[in-house]
Amino acid sequence: MISTDAWVLRAGPVGTAQQEATLTRETLSLREPADHEALVEPLTGSWEANMDHALARSPVDICRQRGEPAVIIGNSGLVRVLRPARSAPSPPQGTVCMLLPFGVRDPHGYVVRVHGYDAPGSYGLLARRIPLSAELLLPLPTDTPFPPERWAPALRYFTAWDNWHVAHRCWRAQMGDDDPAGHLVFGWGGGVALAALELARRAGFRTAMTAGTDARVALLRARGISPVDRRDYPHLAYHAASDRDRDRDRDGQRESEHAFLEKIAQLSDGRGVSILLDNIGGPLHEVTMRALARQGVITTCGWKAGMNLPVVRATECQSRHLHVHTHGWRFEESPAIRDYQERTGWIADVAHQHTHDFDDVPQLAREYAQGRVDDYYPLYQVNPL
């Protein structure tokens, strides 16, 4: 058995309403690596929305879904090989790798269950040592000019790569060879949306994204993306507890929505958004649909604030709107995406941000849940790089 220091998510109580969870620090005994597995030490991890979902037990208690009393979460980051796999191709001892979180995948290479989240029997990165299938280890490029911590959140870029290319191809299916310079790609703020917008800008589109702090506004402007300061639209998104609250708040929402749509019209020469990156959902859905141009594409690979969205099918048909839903990326494309990042510099810039110590992981979890993390790619350290 392997003894490891870990932050553990325990299953919620049976027969009660779902309650938010907290991580507990425990020394666990894990199984020894199977023949196809390497023994690795997690290094730097990137906190992901699905970790927040796991702690909120929303939409499900993943421990109960997996049939396990305790789970170690964390599915984006770097590991170092301590002992290679015995009977499978494996990076050698000492190799620093990205974790590819394909717990279960379909026959076409797309993820069905996510390693370190809802894949049964998988160990995430919130532990000092774990066994890990060797095929999930993607080595960093040899002699890369980028420091390892810039690769830690790379899987958000992998997700953005897949979602952007599917959405772009869908847009082209209706718009032929129309010049992208006349079309706006817009994203609600987040790290995956930021990565996709950088691809959109490289493809010649106008780009814009919301931001809620001076630092994020400045970062977007520095990357050639038009910042849309969400503080200028304070009632754009809201959660009404009842119809009475909705009526009371409606005037404020209409005012913010009108001002926001005027901003979108200004950025798009009145067309609206040609490709809208929406990984938020819920409270922004109404204005998302109103901002979308004819022949527009709404694309999502996440659901941070709501999964169930109402759609008026007649309006969507008449406007020729296309809805794109993706999850992760194709396993076999992983090396090519990594190599594109290395070749072009399309990679996260985390040089000026704080990395949380392993002791401070619960603090990071609380700050993320409360919307108090200013970094697009919040990082935590498990073992020294």
Side-chain angles (χ1 to χ4, degrees):
M1 300 293 285
I2 300 168
S3 178
T4 191
D5 177 18
W7 286 106
V8 179
L9 172 65
R10 290 276 172 185
V14 179
T16 61
Q18 288 184 350
Q19 300 174 353
E20 291 190 7
T22 56
L23 295 168
T24 58
R25 187 81 170 265
E26 302 181 29
T27 299
L28 293 183
S29 293
L30 309 182
R31 57 176 171 75
E32 286 286 337
D35 287 349
H36 69 284
E37 293 178 318
L39 179 64
V40 305
E41 57 175 0
L43 301 173
T44 302
S46 176
W47 194 268
E48 301 294 314
N50 64 23
M51 300 172 77
D52 187 53
H53 293 320
L55 292 175
R57 305 193 200 280
S58 176
V60 296
D61 183 328
I62 62 167
C63 298
R64 298 209 169 280
Q65 183 186 55
R66 290 170 51 158
E68 301 169 24
V71 166
I72 301 171
I73 60 173
N75 60 345
S76 177
L78 305 178
V79 302
R80 181 185 290 116
V81 176
L82 297 176
R83 191 168 70 224
R86 294 186 292 271
S87 64
S90 177
Q93 181 179 359
T95 306
V96 176
C97 305
M98 287 180 273
L99 163 62
L100 300 177
F102 289 77
V104 179
R105 58 186 188 267
D106 69 21
H108 303 286
Y110 293 105
V111 68
V112 176
R113 298 290 182 190
V114 176
H115 182 99
Y117 180 64
D118 61 351
S122 63
Y123 299 125
L125 298 179
L126 289 182
R128 301 289 194 182
R129 296 192 302 165
I130 57 173
L132 194 59
S133 176
E135 71 171 355
L136 302 185
L137 298 173
L138 181 64
L140 299 191
T142 304
D143 299 325
T144 175
F146 305 114
E149 58 269 18
R150 294 191 67 179
W151 291 98
L155 300 193
R156 293 206 191 183
Y157 278 69
F158 284 36
T159 298
W161 171 277
D162 178 86
N163 187 253
W164 165 251
H165 282 89
V166 174
H168 187 201
R169 287 194 292 269
C170 286
W171 181 80
R172 277 292 180 204
Q174 296 198 108
M175 300 304 291
D177 58 358
D178 221 48
D179 186 356
H183 294 271
L184 175 66
V185 179
F186 175 83
W188 299 118
V192 174
L194 175 60
L197 284 165
E198 291 178 346
L199 290 175
R201 183 178 56 78
R202 292 176 182 216
F205 287 88
R206 305 179 188 187
T207 55
M209 179 169 163
T210 55
T213 67
D214 291 343
R216 287 193 171 192
V217 167
L219 183 148
L220 293 178
R221 189 171 285 118
R223 296 194 182 189
I225 298 169
S226 297
V228 176
D229 196 327
R230 69 183 184 204
R231 293 170 293 187
D232 294 338
Y233 318 99
H235 304 293
L236 195 60
Y238 70 98
H239 298 272
S242 68
D243 289 341
R244 180 179 299 175
D245 292 336
R246 185 179 181 86
D247 292 340
R248 184 189 64 201
D249 295 342
R250 198 61 168 174
D251 289 344
Q253 190 213 15
R254 285 192 182 115
E255 183 179 343
S256 286
E257 183 179 287
H258 179 74
F260 173 78
L261 292 176
E262 281 192 337
K263 180 66 172 179
I264 292 297
Q266 173 191 337
L267 292 169
S268 64
D269 293 339
R271 289 178 184 258
V273 180
S274 293
I275 303 177
L276 200 152
L277 309 164
D278 174 26
N279 294 326
I280 304 299
L284 293 169
H285 182 62
E286 288 186 14
V287 70
T288 291
M289 303 313 296
R290 291 191 175 101
L292 203 59
R294 286 189 57 80
Q295 290 80 245
V297 175
I298 177 172
T299 184
T300 182
C301 52
W303 47 91
K304 184 174 182 180
M307 297 188 301
N308 300 320
L309 306 174
V311 174
V312 181
R313 293 180 67 182
T315 301
E316 296 309 284
C317 289
Q318 291 162 7
S319 300
R320 295 190 66 92
H321 288 164
L322 301 183
H323 294 239
V324 171
H325 300 85
T326 68
H327 188 213
W329 63 96
R330 199 169 193 171
F331 178 80
E332 289 78 9
E333 291 186 343
S334 301
I337 302 172
R338 175 203 59 191
D339 294 347
Y340 177 85
Q341 291 190 275
E342 170 80 354
R343 187 171 65 253
T344 67
W346 178 64
I347 189 171
D349 185 358
V350 297
H352 303 294
Q353 71 176 59
H354 174 65
T355 298
H356 289 72
D357 292 333
F358 194 60
D359 292 343
D360 298 330
V361 162
Q363 176 187 344
L364 171 58
R366 287 191 300 271
E367 291 175 352
Y368 187 91
Q370 295 165 3
R372 295 191 291 115
V373 176
D374 199 37
D375 300 319
Y376 282 111
Y377 309 105
L379 301 180
Y380 57 90
Q381 198 78 40
V382 182
N383 287 297
L385 281 167

